[in-house]
Amino acid sequence: MDDETRKIPSHEVTYGRLRDMILFGHLTPGQPVTIQGLIRDLDAGMTPVREAIRRLTAEGALLPQGNRRVAVPNLTPALLDQLAFVRLTVEPKLAELAGAHLTPALIDRLEAIDDRVDRAIRAGSVTDYLEFNHAFHFALYEASEAPILVDIARGLWLRFGPSLRVVCARYGAAALPDRHEEALAAMRAGDRAALARAVENDIQQGIDQIRQAQAEGGV
């Protein structure tokens, strides 16, 4: 076994891959998938797949369905209300805290990521949009030096992502949440309060779109 293999055990690789499948909406909420199907899709053994399922079930990202099947939970209006409350509390605070540690290099990096978000929207690529939108937010949040809040935010996105993927597919790329230019302008101005508001507005836009889809029976 080489050093690189020891650094990232196979069960961690499998967990990360399955987590990304959930986070970026490759598993549809409410649609059961078999453990054997996940073994095939993840190109992993039974033991690491079962361990990944166990961990993600504990995180609330998967539900056992019986008969060796699991599913991503449906996001009910009541659950969305709870997620909205916590996201709108935690993530603007992370942005405000991050504002105290921004560097020109980090702002440049965030601008480059946002360029990829914009290109994904123009191309109508929901998958790229979801991945680069996530990258933008967490590149910012990780500058907050608030690891407990970052961990909370990661868990919230894991529960939110699958339904956002459904909404993105429903309304199209042009309607996707993207208030990043407001956030970047606040960063360049050194205005931490404006940065927090921009992130809050960005999150609220996504929440409102899911609420609308729920009201129309689309999620």
Side-chain angles (χ1 to χ4, degrees):
M1 182 181 295
D2 59 28
D3 290 343
E4 190 63 27
T5 304
R6 285 196 295 270
K7 288 179 184 176
I8 309 177
S10 63
H11 67 274
E12 287 293 340
V13 172
T14 300
Y15 168 79
R17 288 175 178 168
L18 182 53
R19 197 174 193 274
D20 283 353
M21 287 175 68
I22 298 167
L23 180 62
F24 301 126
H26 298 296
L27 300 179
T28 303
Q31 179 64 48
V33 293
T34 66
I35 294 175
Q36 284 297 331
L38 290 175
I39 289 170
R40 182 183 62 252
D41 292 343
L42 295 165
D43 190 24
M46 174 71 78
T47 298
V49 169
R50 285 189 176 277
E51 172 64 13
I53 289 171
R54 183 194 66 77
R55 290 172 64 181
L56 288 161
T57 298
E59 293 177 42
L62 287 174
L63 283 175
Q65 299 291 295
N67 197 27
R68 297 166 66 85
R69 294 172 183 265
V70 294
V72 172
N74 285 305
L75 186 57
T76 65
L79 288 174
L80 178 59
D81 286 345
Q82 295 177 58
L83 280 175
F85 172 77
V86 184
R87 286 197 66 194
L88 291 168
T89 302
V90 169
E91 293 182 52
K93 183 62 176 179
L94 279 168
E96 180 185 354
L97 293 171
H101 305 286
L102 291 173
T103 63
L106 178 55
I107 295 173
D108 287 346
R109 180 183 167 208
L110 288 163
E111 287 180 332
I113 297 171
D114 188 49
D115 182 62
R116 299 296 297 272
V117 173
D118 292 340
R119 285 155 57 185
I121 291 173
R122 289 195 299 270
S125 175
V126 172
T127 297
D128 286 351
Y129 166 80
L130 290 171
E131 292 186 7
F132 290 113
N133 182 57
H134 179 272
F136 179 92
H137 280 265
F138 282 91
L140 174 63
Y141 297 163
E142 286 166 4
S144 67
E145 299 187 4
I148 293 174
L149 295 183
V150 172
D151 283 348
I152 291 170
R154 289 191 187 282
L156 297 171
W157 277 62
L158 193 57
R159 292 172 179 254
F160 196 81
S163 294
L164 183 59
R165 172 65 178 250
V166 173
V167 168
C168 290
R170 180 183 180 91
Y171 295 117
L176 299 180
D178 180 19
R179 307 295 285 269
H180 298 167
E181 188 52 48
E182 294 175 25
L184 288 164
M187 293 179 212
R188 288 188 287 264
D191 190 335
R192 294 169 60 187
L195 174 56
R197 286 194 301 272
V199 168
E200 180 178 359
N201 290 338
D202 186 62
I203 295 165
Q204 187 67 61
Q205 186 177 355
I207 291 166
D208 289 345
Q209 287 183 327
I210 292 180
R211 282 202 175 117
Q212 180 181 345
Q214 288 179 335
E216 296 171 354
V219 177

